[in-house]
Amino acid sequence: MAKKAQKKAVQKKTTGFGKFIKWFWLLFVFALICIATPFVLASMGAFGEMPDYTYLENPKTDLASEIVSADNKTLGKFYFNDNRTPVTYEDLSKHLVDNLVATEDERFYEHSGIDFRRTITAIIQLGSKGGGSTITQQLSKLLFHQKEGRGNLVNRMKQKFKEYVIATRLERQYTKQEIIAMYYNIYDFGNNGDGIRSATRIYFGKEPKDINQEEAAVLVGMFKNSSLYNPITNPVGVRNRRNVVYKQMNRNDLITEQQKDSLQKLPLKLNFTPENHNAGLATYFREHLRDEMKKWIKDNPKNDEGDKYSLYNDGLKIYVTIDSRMQEFAETAMKKHMKNLQGELDKQNKKNKTAPFRSLDKKEIEKLLKTAMRRSERYRMYTKEMGKSKAEAYASFNVKKKMRIFSWKGDIDTIMTPRDSMLYYKKFLHAGLLSIEPETGYVKAWVGGINHKYFKYDHAKQGKRQVGSTFKPFVYATAIDQLKYSPCDTISDSYYCIAEGRHGNLKDWCPKNSNGKYKGMITLKSALANSINTISAKLIDRVGPKNVVQMAHNLGVKSEMPEFPSICLGTPELSLFEMVNSYSTLANMGQYVKPTIISRIEDKNGTILYQNVPETKDVLSEESAYVTVKLMEGVTRFGSGARLRSSKGWGAEYTKGLVTGHPYQFTNDIAGKTGTTQNNSDGWFMGMVPNLVTGVWVGAEDRAVHFNSIRYGQGATMALPIWAQYMKSCYSVKDINISQEPFKKPENLSIEVDCEKWAQENEENLNDSPDF
């Protein structure tokens, strides 16, 4: 009986345990189903569309088009919203990788997309010490559903499940190294720092591979929240967050306790270099390039269906001919000289009652300002968009408002009327500089103005001004080519008139020399060096204005010009681009090469879409081009450009310190020409060495704004110093390879260019040259 009862007790106990086991497994399976179901539903798209595998292989991100200089430096980018240029894992410094993993995901190399231990800990702590997201989860959020999951708890939970699924897919699709690179490439670091490449350039002026420990800690700290931890607006918060990164590095044995303490004491160090369309190198050039790229995109479809490339999203690489070092030298030389030049003009205007204008009365000034108002965006907005009357539009220019204005000492926040701001900006002198490599046509430096943020007009290509005496070499080249004149031929510098009706003249034209004096018999070389007007008039009378215009067109001038004798003194309005192009043809032994700014274009995969092929044609004999160049060498040896060779500081003394720096002391062969227009409104200097032609223009927006004397208003003072400082800097870097050699002499030269030798051989007949 006792055994029977014992047996029943055991059976009852076994049955009860069995039921427990049964319920345990039922609950376990149910829990698994509950846990798995959201993941399955998420993967099936029940919580919203999921990216397919092809999309995972090529996640869609907008890639900025990158402008790469001839010396392989990034000049800038074209973008609307995303200033993004992707890099590979190999492009990242070890500090960036180590700091990221130690701070954001310590077990990154151990999990497969989800760190369950970290997730459970975050749930238990209710997120009080941070979430449980891995780097891969954060990447999935940034790539595929960054804006989802906002609002209620249900939506956030749906997002999390999608995040888990995408993270595991990413881990199957990519290596750990690729995931790190993608995470760095996709993240927005603020201040147009889209992706790590932009961020390192903007905040530290470096490439990602060159980032050190301190810089990496700052960038990794920003992953917490780049809007909050912004180095520019919140440096204290960024420094504190950086120190947390150091703590994590120490926790993971990547730096010692002593190193951590030392690093945490360091101040925040930045080299903030904004990347936008108004900042950085070659701003005017980049805007011109944008227009050229739009034309190229229009004429070169992406595929047979006619789809167009996007300059802002397709990640094109545009390799340009600009050398970043030369560009920086050009901009530095321009800013240095223009700041001093503006200071002198402002000083002269202190006693000028109609400042900044000269030779205008009040009515003329008011008329000029009204014209400027009608051309302004404010006037257009009032009359076209707002439907206001003209009177109301004009009245708006007299209402004071807050504004930020340009000055050479930095931007100024002030209050003034738009009319006063227009007067303020009218006072500024502007400048343009352009360098072309004659043999290839490559544009090596392009400066379109003094500040692209405030002055958009490009004086290198858009602007056309009277060129003054820089036009005279075209007259001399025509005479040499047609009549075989030598630089050593002598001509009488005397009063001379071209009669009414001759060459289309409307009346007798009798040009005078700038100083009103005449020298008698002089050589052609001396005549050009000293820019003698009467000699230019005699030459154009002999060869005809039509032939001079044709010569200018052949050399590279595209603008139309009147076929009148007066053009010999530089009355045509031409662009700096045209002038440098034309002089390049002379330097290139009479062979015209079409200027180019793009060497090749690649797509984001490196496929070449365009490769430049030079367009050339012979337009002038080698002999005529060489003789013209030798004529222009006289300008820099004993003419208006002779200060280039000064060893006594004459240039600086002449302008009482206006021309900064040491005496130029150039000793190599330089051909050039200065130019000064009426009333000293425009100053030009064109300078050539065998493998580089550079032109500089300086002047104000309105010709009524100018210096009160030729002492400061001549090209030798306004423009030449910029050329000189720029070339000095170029010569200081040997691998830029700017020539210091003589211009190449043609074989079988029939025209004598050595005037001393010519004089000795023709001493008896020196004065027998024709006087015309």
Side-chain angles (χ1 to χ4, degrees):
M1 192 71 179
K3 286 183 179 179
K4 192 174 181 181
Q6 187 178 10
K7 185 178 180 182
K8 285 183 177 179
V10 170
Q11 286 177 341
K12 185 176 181 181
K13 185 177 181 180
T14 303
T15 302
F17 182 73
K19 288 181 178 179
F20 175 77
I21 294 296
K22 180 181 178 181
W23 279 106
F24 171 80
W25 282 109
L26 286 171
L27 289 170
F28 180 75
V29 171
F30 180 74
L32 283 178
I33 292 172
C34 288
I35 293 171
T37 297
F39 289 98
V40 173
L41 290 172
S43 65
M44 293 172 63
F47 298 156
E49 186 178 356
M50 295 287 286
D52 61 25
Y53 285 98
T54 57
Y55 192 54
L56 285 172
E57 288 175 1
N58 296 287
K60 173 65 176 174
T61 55
D62 291 337
L63 303 179
S65 290
E66 183 179 7
I67 307 165
V68 184
S69 70
D71 55 321
N72 208 34
K73 302 293 182 183
T74 299
L75 287 178
K77 299 172 189 174
F78 293 124
Y79 61 91
F80 270 139
N81 297 315
D82 288 349
N83 177 24
R84 195 182 314 281
T85 304
V87 297
T88 64
Y89 179 82
E90 289 71 26
D91 295 321
L92 301 174
S93 77
K94 188 175 185 298
H95 298 295
L96 285 170
V97 175
D98 289 346
N99 279 258
L100 176 65
V101 173
T103 306
E104 296 290 313
D105 193 351
E106 292 174 323
R107 284 179 291 280
F108 175 70
Y109 295 108
E110 300 167 19
H111 62 69
S112 297
I114 304 172
D115 186 344
F116 288 104
R117 190 199 313 178
R118 190 176 174 193
T119 301
I120 293 169
T121 302
I123 293 171
I124 293 171
Q125 295 173 343
L126 299 176
S128 61
K129 294 186 179 180
S133 293
T134 63
I135 290 173
T136 317
Q137 286 175 261
Q138 294 175 49
L139 174 62
S140 71
K141 180 179 179 180
L142 290 172
L143 279 173
F144 302 111
H145 56 281
Q146 188 174 4
K147 295 181 181 179
E148 296 177 13
R150 295 176 181 176
N152 59 44
L153 178 62
V154 173
N155 283 341
R156 290 199 296 272
M157 291 300 295
K158 287 180 180 179
Q159 176 183 312
K160 273 296 176 187
F161 286 119
K162 289 177 67 177
E163 196 176 288
Y164 291 148
V165 173
I166 296 171
T168 56
R169 291 182 179 179
L170 285 171
E171 289 275 350
R172 290 199 302 268
Q173 201 80 14
Y174 300 102
T175 66
K176 293 287 186 180
Q177 289 78 15
E178 287 173 329
I179 287 171
I180 286 176
M182 288 175 69
Y183 189 41
Y184 266 119
N185 282 328
I186 200 68
Y187 194 73
D188 180 359
F189 290 88
N191 296 303
N192 285 329
D194 300 311
I196 190 62
R197 176 114 190 281
S198 295
T200 57
R201 285 170 52 83
I202 288 169
Y203 292 120
F204 303 108
K206 293 182 176 181
E207 293 296 322
K209 64 183 177 181
D210 300 321
I211 291 298
N212 61 31
Q213 171 60 60
E214 300 97 292
E215 295 158 346
V218 171
L219 293 165
V220 169
M222 294 175 71
F223 278 110
K224 182 79 171 176
N225 184 334
S226 60
S227 297
L228 176 61
Y229 297 105
N230 185 314
I232 307 306
T233 60
N234 184 16
V236 175
V238 170
R239 186 172 181 271
N240 292 338
R241 181 63 190 161
R242 178 203 67 179
N243 290 348
V244 171
V245 177
Y246 292 148
K247 184 179 178 180
Q248 286 297 111
M249 290 288 286
N250 173 244
R251 167 187 160 94
N252 287 273
D253 298 322
L254 292 169
I255 59 174
T256 66
E257 187 78 21
Q258 184 178 2
Q259 286 175 319
K260 182 201 75 172
D261 293 340
S262 298
L263 288 167
Q264 287 181 335
K265 293 176 182 177
L266 293 174
L268 191 66
K269 294 180 181 178
L270 300 173
N271 178 18
F272 185 57
T273 310
E275 281 193 357
N276 58 59
H277 304 310
N278 290 317
L281 279 178
T283 47
Y284 292 90
F285 169 80
R286 280 152 40 197
E287 283 307 306
H288 175 72
L289 177 64
R290 187 199 303 272
D291 291 337
E292 292 299 304
M293 284 301 300
K294 286 178 180 177
K295 295 175 187 176
W296 181 86
I297 287 170
K298 183 180 179 181
D299 296 335
N300 295 271
K302 185 188 294 188
N303 50 41
D304 293 338
E305 285 72 37
D307 294 334
K308 301 293 184 183
Y309 286 101
S310 170
L311 183 60
Y312 307 104
N313 301 324
D314 278 345
L316 299 176
K317 267 200 170 183
I318 309 160
Y319 291 86
V320 298
T321 59
I322 295 288
D323 185 298
S324 70
R325 298 162 298 180
M326 296 171 71
Q327 181 68 30
E328 186 170 7
F329 293 152
E331 293 184 16
T332 300
M334 182 274 293
K335 289 175 182 176
K336 185 177 181 180
H337 181 64
M338 292 303 292
K339 181 179 180 180
N340 293 333
L341 200 64
Q342 187 67 49
E344 177 58 36
L345 182 62
D346 291 345
K347 191 188 303 181
Q348 292 186 13
N349 274 331
K350 284 183 179 180
K351 297 181 180 179
N352 177 13
K353 293 181 179 180
T354 59
F357 308 104
R358 293 184 182 277
S359 306
L360 294 182
D361 58 32
K362 289 183 178 181
K363 286 185 178 180
E364 289 172 319
I365 293 173
E366 192 58 36
K367 183 179 179 181
L368 187 151
L369 287 176
K370 277 205 168 185
T371 300
M373 289 177 191
R374 285 195 298 271
R375 293 175 179 172
S376 71
E377 180 62 20
R378 168 178 289 274
Y379 186 87
R380 188 198 67 79
M381 183 182 70
Y382 264 76
T383 56
K384 302 294 183 183
E385 296 183 11
M386 298 172 64
K388 303 287 186 180
S389 67
K390 293 181 180 180
E392 288 173 311
Y394 284 130
S396 72
F397 284 88
N398 293 313
V399 179
K400 289 187 176 182
K401 59 179 290 186
K402 291 181 179 180
M403 61 179 70
R404 177 168 290 184
I405 58 176
F406 168 80
S407 86
W408 278 110
K409 295 180 180 179
D411 294 354
I412 299 173
D413 290 315
T414 186
I415 298 175
M416 65 168 61
T417 67
R419 183 185 186 279
D420 287 340
S421 73
M422 290 174 66
L423 269 173
Y424 173 80
Y425 282 121
K426 290 288 186 183
K427 77 172 186 176
F428 283 99
L429 293 169
H430 299 274
L433 179 150
L434 194 76
S435 272
I436 292 180
E437 196 173 72
E439 191 172 356
T440 62
Y442 286 175
V443 176
K444 307 303 291 184
W446 180 307
V447 183
I450 58 176
N451 186 294
H452 189 262
K453 179 180 177 181
Y454 291 96
F455 306 101
K456 304 295 186 189
Y457 195 73
D458 185 352
H459 294 284
K461 185 71 185 288
Q462 290 177 297
K464 292 185 178 183
R465 299 294 286 256
Q466 285 191 345
V467 294
S469 294
T470 58
F471 190 86
K472 290 177 180 176
F474 303 152
V475 180
Y476 282 73
T478 308
I480 291 167
D481 190 53
Q482 289 189 4
L483 307 174
K484 301 303 177 185
Y485 288 137
S486 162
C488 312
D489 283 328
T490 56
I491 303 176
S492 174
D493 172 22
S494 57
Y495 184 75
Y496 187 78
C497 291
I498 298 177
E500 176 186 348
R502 185 166 169 78
H503 312 302
N505 253 12
L506 300 178
K507 58 181 180 180
D508 289 353
W509 183 61
C510 308
K512 297 178 181 179
N513 292 332
S514 59
N515 60 5
K517 299 178 181 178
Y518 303 97
K519 295 186 175 183
M521 298 302 293
I522 58 171
T523 64
L524 278 178
K525 194 167 188 176
S526 178
L528 183 62
N530 293 285
S531 212
I532 305 298
N533 290 341
T534 58
I535 304 303
S536 296
K538 289 182 177 181
L539 290 175
I540 200 169
D541 189 21
R542 185 65 180 266
V543 299
K546 183 175 182 178
N547 290 323
V548 173
V549 169
Q550 187 59 52
M551 173 63 71
H553 285 323
N554 289 342
L555 293 174
V557 172
K558 302 301 179 184
S559 298
E560 293 299 318
M561 292 174 285
E563 295 176 356
F564 294 133
S566 58
I567 64 172
C568 72
L569 303 188
T571 55
E573 295 190 353
L574 306 176
S575 70
L576 182 60
F577 188 91
E578 291 175 292
M579 293 301 293
V580 177
N581 184 17
S582 302
Y583 273 63
S584 292
T585 304
L586 294 172
N588 196 39
M589 304 181 72
Q591 185 180 57
Y592 170 84
V593 182
K594 184 179 180 179
T596 185
I597 60 172
I598 302 172
S599 55
R600 76 178 187 277
I601 302 171
E602 295 179 359
D603 67 13
K604 64 182 180 182
N605 300 314
T607 302
I608 296 177
L609 306 175
Y610 166 81
Q611 184 77 49
N612 176 63
V613 177
E615 295 182 30
T616 66
K617 59 180 178 180
D618 293 325
V619 298
L620 187 65
S621 70
E622 289 186 4
E623 182 177 65
S624 296
Y626 178 75
V627 173
T628 305
V629 168
K630 296 303 287 184
L631 264 174
M632 288 190 286
E633 282 186 15
V635 174
T636 68
R637 292 195 179 278
F638 54 85
S640 56
R643 66 178 65 181
L644 288 174
R645 304 190 180 281
S646 171
S647 61
K648 299 179 181 180
W650 171 65
E653 290 175 4
Y654 182 73
T655 53
K656 295 185 179 178
L658 177 62
V659 183
T660 57
H662 299 291
Y664 303 129
Q665 294 182 295
F666 288 100
T667 58
N668 55 300
D669 286 356
I670 300 170
K673 189 70 191 79
T674 57
T676 308
T677 61
Q678 192 174 17
N679 294 329
N680 313 308
S681 297
D682 303 271
W684 294 77
F685 182 73
M686 308 293 298
M688 307 191 297
V689 295
N691 66 349
L692 190 70
V693 176
T694 303
V696 180
W697 166 87
V698 174
E701 177 185 331
D702 289 286
R703 289 181 173 85
V705 179
H706 54 77
F707 286 102
N708 60 10
S709 71
I710 199 168
R711 179 179 189 180
Y712 293 100
Q714 62 179 310
T717 303
M718 288 213 289
L720 179 145
I722 297 175
W723 188 94
Q725 293 295 337
Y726 163 65
M727 290 296 289
K728 277 288 186 184
S729 298
C730 289
Y731 278 127
S732 71
V733 180
K734 299 301 180 185
D735 65 355
I736 293 181
N737 295 319
I738 304 301
S739 173
Q740 298 195 54
E741 302 299 315
F743 289 89
K744 185 179 178 181
K745 185 177 181 179
E747 296 181 9
N748 304 317
L749 182 66
S750 64
I751 299 176
E752 185 58 67
V753 294
D754 184 341
C755 293
E756 290 184 7
K757 177 183 176 183
W758 184 90
Q760 291 174 359
E761 293 177 352
N762 298 275
E763 187 173 357
E764 293 181 2
N765 300 313
L766 185 61
N767 295 321
D768 290 345
S769 299
D771 180 12
F772 40 81

